[in-house]
Amino acid sequence: MRPLVHPPAEDITAQGILHALADPVRAAIFASLAAAGQASPCCQFLQLMDRNIPKSTLSQHFRVLREAGLVRSERRGVEVHNSSRCQDVEQRFPGLLLAIIGAYQQQWRQGAGT
Amino acid sequence: MRPLVHPPAEDITAQGILHALADPVRAAIFASLAAAGQASPCCQFLQLMDRNIPKSTLSQHFRVLREAGLVRSERRGVEVHNSSRCQDVEQRFPGLLLAIIGAYQQQWRQGAGT
């Protein structure tokens, strides 16, 4: 089983975060995890924004979020549970996540650009 | 000669901005244009962050920035002059650009992640 790799907080980069969140589906997953404030199983996101997301695509999305330092993943039996690393990112780049998620939320309210 | 295409302000998306600025060189070009507050010729950026950037690469970067709605380009004779569209983006997503450029500036100060 492949290990789940997490960058240390000091290795989180602005370009890594922007790249990971430049995909609206990943941004929606991350916003949901950040709002939940607790670990959630991957399978919870198989339906998102009125779309079905294939399991393999979802795994890819979580890998990108994890490698950017946005998400911490943990195996629990056959499931992988994920939680946001908001605090690590906030400490490194204050205000960045709030601005990005705020921009998407505004866009989603307008029902465009997903 | 290919026309220079600019999206109208209402078509600017969060994912477009994040994708365009997920490249540190593009972010540096944009930050410089935003700080200048006036149109600058492309050739000004052939040396950036202690690197030489090939002209073709630079053209690509400006195309991505332009298509994301971050930059307005204008042909003046044989040169293309560019200016930032900060106001358009700020109106659409208040605070987003400031947070992104702020994150990069912090990273650049620490001399990492370019």
Side-chain angles (χ1 to χ4, degrees), chain A residues 12-24:
Chain A
I12 295 174
T13 63
Q15 60 268 37
I17 291 175
L18 265 57
H19 166 70
L21 297 180
D23 181 292

Side-chain angles (χ1 to χ4, degrees), chain B residues 7 12 33 38-40 42 44-45 48 55 62 66-68 70-71 78 80 85 93 95 98 107 109 114:
Chain B
I12 294 174
L33 282 177
Q38 60 180 13
S40 310
C42 283
Q44 191 182 306
F45 300 95
L48 195 75
K55 211 169 171 182
F62 274 105
R66 189 165 56 241
E67 289 178 358
L70 284 160
V71 152
V78 292
V80 176
R85 292 180 65 186
F93 302 120
L98 213 64
Q107 195 166 285
R109 273 196 301 273
T114 54

